[in-house]
Structures are given as structure tokens and as C-alpha cells.
Amino acid sequence: MSKVLEEPLDNYTPPLVQPQDILGISVSSLNPEASAVFNYNLNRVNGNNYDLSPGNPVVGYLVDDQGEINVPIVGAIKVSGLTTSEISHQLQTKLLPYLKEPIVNLRIINFKVAVFGDVLKPDMYMVQNERITIPEALSLAGDLNITAIRTNVLLVREQNGKRQYIPIDLTSKGIFKSPYFYLKNNDVIYVQADKTKFATVDRGYRTASLVLSGLSVLAITLSTILLRR
């Protein structure tokens, strides 16, 4: 039997909430009717909770530019720079004067990553559990095309008012220990194509241009012949 290799998972850190995040907050307690006032954010935009389409998102609590959300009765709460677990604990404490044994569940409901470039299905993908790796994101996009450059994938990340451009080598074992292995909300992955693809596209474009030119000449010739009859 082959020896199983193990290493500690020490490069994952929970995502920190930042402005423009949308938080879905669910509150339950021994006072169900009183708890309901805090759960209005779980309704959908058009009022139809049976419509689960992307065009009918959950309302949620929007984190403003000051990093705060406004919760009924409680008021403004500073959430920027905290994890969802820390916010849940903070809100649960603040609800104790109003609810009996409150339980708070909270997550970022607009957590998304974008994957584009030389992949099968370039798109923006929503993440339900706030934890996604670079390989998982590429898998959602249908994996890299054969012409993709695997040694220089670009990760674009906006954090703390700055934009970072991080080169990623997918062929290196070190990617699993990289601090960028786990993606953050709004991360963008760009996969560059190699020269082979550009050459193929250019060749196809030139061939198509020649065919169209030939058809145009043929059409003009036929028109001239028909006009002479």
C-alpha cells in the first residue's frame, strides 16, 4: 500500500466582510414573531420567493461605504473587516435585550468569482459557502482549453482599497500552499492563451476573408453576366 502524504491546511483564512458585500442574516429565537422583523432581508427582490432565478436575488443587508449595516431596532453595526462568524456573535449579543435565546446565521450572499480567458465556459460564478479554491473555480468554468498557458494564470484581487495582480503557476506544487489558493469575494481569474491559438484564429480569419472575397467576386461576375443578357 502506498504511503499517504499529509500536510497541514494552514493557508486558509475566512473571508473578511467589506463594503458592497450583501449579508443574508437569519435570526431565530423563542420569540418567533419578534424574530421575524430581522428576517425581512431573506425575501427576494420581486417579492416572489419561489422564483430562484439570478434576476430575482435575495434582498440582504448591504454593507455601506462606512462598512456598516443597519439592522432593525439594533441600528448601525460595524461589520467591515470582520468574519461572518464574528458578526453573527456580535449581533447575537446585541439581540439579547429583545429576543429570548437568539440564534443568528449569517453569510455573504453575493460572494462571487469571475473566470475568463482561455477556458471552456468563461463567466461569473456565485459561491454558496464562502470557500472556493483556484482549481474549483476553473472547474466551474469547464477547465482550461488545451491552448491555455498554465504557468502564468493571472489572479486580480481588490482588497483594502488596492488592486493586486498575482501570477499563478498551476503546474507548481507550491500552489496548494499559496496564500492565494483560496479565493476571496470578487476575485477575477484570467487565463491567457498561447501563440498557437492566436495563430489558429488568425489563419481562420484570413481564410474566411479570402472565401468572402471570392464569393464577392463571383457575385459581381454573375451580376454582370445576367445584366448583359
Side-chain angles (χ1 to χ4, degrees), residues 26-40 99-100 102:
S26 172
V27 179
S28 60
S29 72
L30 297 181
N31 316 96
E33 293 183 1
S35 301
V37 68
F38 302 101
N39 294 326
Y40 83 98
L99 300 175
K100 187 174 182 181

Side-chain angles (χ1 to χ4, degrees), residues 49-70:
N49 286 335
Y50 297 100
D51 178 5
L52 305 181
S53 66
N56 186 30
V58 175
V59 176
Y61 289 95
L62 177 66
V63 182
D64 63 24
D65 292 337
Q66 286 70 48
E68 298 178 341
I69 58 173
N70 276 287

Side-chain angles (χ1 to χ4, degrees), residues 31 41 53 55 62 69 130 143 180-181 208:
N31 316 96
N41 77 109
S53 66
L62 177 66
I69 58 173
E130 303 174 9
D143 208 351
Y180 304 107
F181 182 66

Side-chain angles (χ1 to χ4, degrees), residues 113-130:
V113 296
V115 184
F116 66 104
D118 201 15
V119 293
L120 184 62
K121 299 183 295 182
D123 207 340
M124 183 181 70
Y125 295 94
M126 303 303 297
V127 181
Q128 297 297 320
N129 60 2
E130 303 174 9

